[in-house]
């Protein structure tokens, strides 16, 4: 379990390090950002790397913090295949965003993926039932309310960008949330919870067997005597 958690932490650190490089290295930024013309020229890797490129320091910090919090919440909720989720959903989100917004020339940032992870977390909490179901529904209501206000222009940008020509993509948030709610579940063998895994290594007590009783051996003998009886106790 410790090795598993360490591997996940290293993966998260590596992903955020790439996002840091894709934001502050001009050459790597231009190579990563989701660019419609470059994608049409065959640079398909941008479907995934575009989510790593950000357009300001505050843009990166806010997106990275929310991403780390949602990734941790998903892990505790039982999602054990975050890599597969990110790989599949990253491309789906990029393709759908370019298809739905014909005016979008370039895109970057984790906020769309964050919305997708939030939608998936809502689904997992809803399936858990009880208080988690109510918490998931509440989280969904807050997200829908926030996105609605943003789309109506009633809220200001949550981050500052390096250029006035850059604007938040509210559509990416809606698409991300939608994909998170409808993506198929991870196959059951790959679904787990770190608490359940840790419990699997604890010694389990065996239930008593009513038809078999053990009599202690005399001090002078090493032989263990067995006696069958109809009662779980020896009388």
């Amino acid at each position: 379990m410790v090795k598993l958690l360490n591997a996940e932490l290293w993966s998260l650190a590596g992903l955020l390090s790439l996002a840091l490089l894709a934001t502050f290295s001009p050459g790597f930024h231009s190579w990563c950002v989701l660019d419609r013309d470059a994608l049409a020229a065959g640079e398909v890797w941008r479907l995934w790397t575009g989510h790593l490129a950000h357009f300001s320091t505050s843009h990166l910090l806010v997106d990275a913090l929310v991403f780390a919090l949602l990734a941790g919440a998903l892990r505790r909720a039982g999602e054990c295949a975050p890599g597969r989720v990110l790989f599949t959903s990253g491309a789906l989100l990029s393709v759908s965003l370019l298809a739905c917004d014909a005016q979008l020339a370039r895109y970057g940032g984790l906020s769309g993926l964050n919305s997708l992870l939030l939608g998936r977390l809502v689904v997992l909490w809803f399936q858990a039932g009880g208080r988690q179901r109510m918490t998931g529904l509440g989280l969904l209501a807050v997200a829908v309310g926030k996105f609605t206000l943003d789309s109506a222009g009633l809220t200001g940008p949550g981050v500052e960008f390096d250029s006035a020509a850059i604007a938040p993509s509210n559509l990416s948030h809606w698409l991300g949330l939608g994909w998170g709610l409808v993506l198929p579940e991870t196959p059951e063998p790959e679904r787990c919870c770190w608490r359940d895994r840790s419990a699997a290594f604890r010694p389990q007590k065996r239930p008593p067997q009513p038809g078999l009783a053990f009599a202690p051996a005399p001090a002078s003998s090493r032989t263990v005597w067995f006696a069958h009886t109809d009662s779980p106790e020896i009388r």
Side-chain angles (χ1 to χ4, degrees), residues 1 4-5 8 72-81 124 132 188-201:
M1 181 193 68
L4 177 66
L5 293 178
E8 292 175 350
L74 274 172
R75 185 66 175 84
R76 294 178 66 87
E79 179 59 72
C80 285
L124 292 178
Q132 286 186 323
E188 196 64 28
E190 298 181 10
R191 289 279 302 279
C192 66
C193 176
W194 67 272
R195 292 180 177 176
D196 295 340
R197 284 199 169 190
S198 62
F201 294 97

Side-chain angles (χ1 to χ4, degrees), residues 50-55 59-60 62-64 66-67 70 93 97 107-119 146-147 150 159 161 167-177:
H51 302 288
L52 300 176
H54 292 75
F55 297 102
H59 187 202
L60 172 63
V62 172
D63 279 3
V66 175
F67 181 84
L70 287 172
L93 179 57
L97 181 59
Y107 172 81
L110 283 166
S111 59
L113 275 183
N114 287 342
S115 300
L116 187 144
L117 296 181
L118 186 146
K146 173 67 165 56
F147 295 165
D150 291 342
V159 297
F161 298 104
S169 174
N170 296 319
L171 180 59
S172 69
H173 302 159
W174 285 109
L175 289 174
L177 182 63

Side-chain angles (χ1 to χ4, degrees), residues 134-156:
M134 299 305 299
T135 302
L137 292 175
L139 182 61
L140 178 61
V142 170
V144 170
K146 173 67 165 56
F147 295 165
T148 301
L149 293 176
D150 291 342
S151 299
L154 299 178
T155 59

Side-chain angles (χ1 to χ4, degrees), residues 23 54-62 156-164 166-168:
T23 300
H54 292 75
F55 297 102
S56 69
T57 302
S58 61
H59 187 202
L60 172 63
L61 291 178
V62 172
V159 297
E160 295 181 357
F161 298 104
D162 293 337
S163 173
I166 301 174

Side-chain angles (χ1 to χ4, degrees), residues 199-216:
F201 294 97
R202 299 171 187 167
Q204 303 293 327
K205 295 182 179 180
R206 295 183 178 180
Q209 301 180 7
L212 184 63
F214 299 88

